[in-house]
Amino acid sequence: MSLAHTAAEYMLSDALLPDRKGPRLKGLRLELPLDRMVKFVAVGFPLLLVSLAFAQEFSSGSPISCFCPSNFSIRQAAYVDSSCWDSLVHHEQDESGQSKTKSLWPHKALPYSLLALAVAMYLPVLLWQYAAVPALSSDLLFIISELDKSYNRAIRLVQHMLKIRQESSDPDVFWEELEKARKERYFEFPLLERYLACKQRSHSLVATYLLRNALLLLFTSATYLYLGHFHLDVFFQEEFSCSIKTGLLHDETHIPDLITCRLTSLSVFQIVSLASVAVYTLLVPVILYNLTRLCQWDKRLLSIYEMLPAFDLLSRKMLGCPINDLNVILLFLRANISELISFSWLSVLCELKDTATQKHNIDTVVDFMTLLAGLEPSKPKHLTHGMCDENP
């Protein structure tokens, strides 16, 4: 065995990917990074504001302070605070002297509305988890496994070609069989390509992804409407006139008709309202950006895997409208690029291929590894000239 043959065998053995053992599902990212960020902010921010509201209530006591007459006892003053907080109705007179009332219930409903907002924002996450994640995880596991296996098959094929070349007594016969196999596309493994082509005709994943982001935009719009319609009306009202002359106290003459009360929690109410508007306004461009990524293909990832035999989605112009399941899968393959061991090898080979295309006809990793293993220089000259004539 020659030294060059031994070096080629070592090089090809090192190029083989190791077999991965253990469950691979735990390492998969089944949410895109920006989607995860949107989830944490959209759901976690209202919960943070709820804790702020409850902390303010526990630290400062009653959320209102009423200015009772001086002849009221402590227990009577506490009853006024409790009664006015329960009713939370502002009594006033209009220009014509008619009495009218305005409810201030958004102050009382603030923690519960934030909890409802957090639950609503978590619904799209649940939709994705139950409607898309099971199918997506199986697709990713299969595609990642097949991409790595296709790379290993190509390397093992070159190893086998090197072995046959060493054992062959007539080099011309070997190269004629090799060129015939290339023309007949014997080196291709079309299962993965056909599977990905089928995913272009499927729309279940992309429909779920679009619905998830559409629900986020819908709930964000509902939040704007709620804050604008209910919070803005009471946003600057710090004091209100409360009436406790109801029930048994209706005919009591020593009780004033109206008692002025002050909302001590108004500052928290204002901070929560403004912070909610600001945060969800910042989330809207992120959600829209997530949707726009479905309108274009990740051709960088596809071009690298064009080095694999029978993975020519780009060169055959098989890509149509990008709004389909295949584009969603490509986005998640990019997010799980650390799970694709073959990606780094193929990236290097693509860079080297660009510098060698002027001298050699290199289409796939099989061609490149054939060149690196030293088989290409041993090709008979009449076959080399024939290939150059076919590919000027």
Side-chain angles (χ1 to χ4, degrees), residues 157-226:
L157 179 61
V158 179
Q159 286 180 323
H160 185 65
M161 291 164 53
L162 183 63
K163 182 180 179 181
I164 294 178
R165 173 64 184 85
Q166 291 294 323
E167 296 175 352
S168 175
S169 58
D170 188 354
D172 291 345
V173 174
F174 166 77
W175 281 107
E176 288 175 0
E177 291 293 330
L178 178 59
E179 295 304 327
K180 179 181 178 182
R182 282 177 173 171
K183 291 179 180 179
E184 298 295 332
R185 304 170 70 91
Y186 290 161
F187 298 155
E188 298 184 359
F189 311 98
L191 174 63
L192 179 59
E193 183 184 273
R194 292 179 182 178
Y195 181 77
L196 295 179
C198 289
K199 284 298 175 180
Q200 287 195 83
R201 298 188 292 270
S202 176
H203 298 86
S204 58
L205 286 177
V206 71
T208 306
Y209 190 78
L210 290 173
L211 181 58
R212 171 183 178 168
N213 287 278
L215 287 176
L216 286 173
L217 292 175
L218 176 63
F219 293 147
T220 302
S221 302
T223 302
Y224 290 151
L225 291 175
Y226 173 80

Side-chain angles (χ1 to χ4, degrees), residues 136-156:
L136 177 64
S137 59
S138 62
D139 286 337
L140 289 178
L141 286 176
F142 172 75
I143 293 172
I144 290 174
S145 176
E146 282 299 312
L147 288 174
D148 289 346
K149 287 179 180 178
S150 296
Y151 171 83
N152 270 354
R153 282 194 293 262
I155 300 299
R156 290 193 179 100

Side-chain angles (χ1 to χ4, degrees), residues 42-160:
V43 178
F45 185 71
L47 297 178
L48 177 64
L49 295 181
V50 169
S51 62
L52 174 65
F54 281 124
Q56 190 273 341
E57 182 177 347
F58 290 139
S59 61
S60 61
S62 177
I64 66 173
S65 177
C66 295
F67 303 100
C68 301
S70 57
N71 59 344
F72 274 37
S73 64
I74 296 178
R75 295 184 62 183
Q76 288 174 325
Y79 170 77
V80 171
D81 288 349
S82 176
S83 178
C84 289
W85 176 250
D86 288 340
S87 63
L88 211 60
V89 174
H90 174 53
H91 296 262
E92 60 182 354
Q93 291 184 345
D94 56 15
E95 297 178 354
S96 60
Q98 298 292 327
S99 177
K100 66 176 185 178
T101 59
K102 181 174 72 172
S103 177
L104 306 177
W105 66 267
H107 288 276
K108 188 188 299 185
L110 179 63
Y112 310 103
S113 60
L114 291 172
L115 285 175
L117 177 60
V119 171
M121 289 298 181
Y122 194 66
L123 290 179
V125 179
L126 289 178
L127 172 69
W128 180 256
Q129 289 290 332
Y130 288 99
V133 164
L136 177 64
S137 59
S138 62
D139 286 337
L140 289 178
L141 286 176
F142 172 75
I143 293 172
I144 290 174
S145 176
E146 282 299 312
L147 288 174
D148 289 346
K149 287 179 180 178
S150 296
Y151 171 83
N152 270 354
R153 282 194 293 262
I155 300 299
R156 290 193 179 100
L157 179 61
V158 179
Q159 286 180 323
H160 185 65

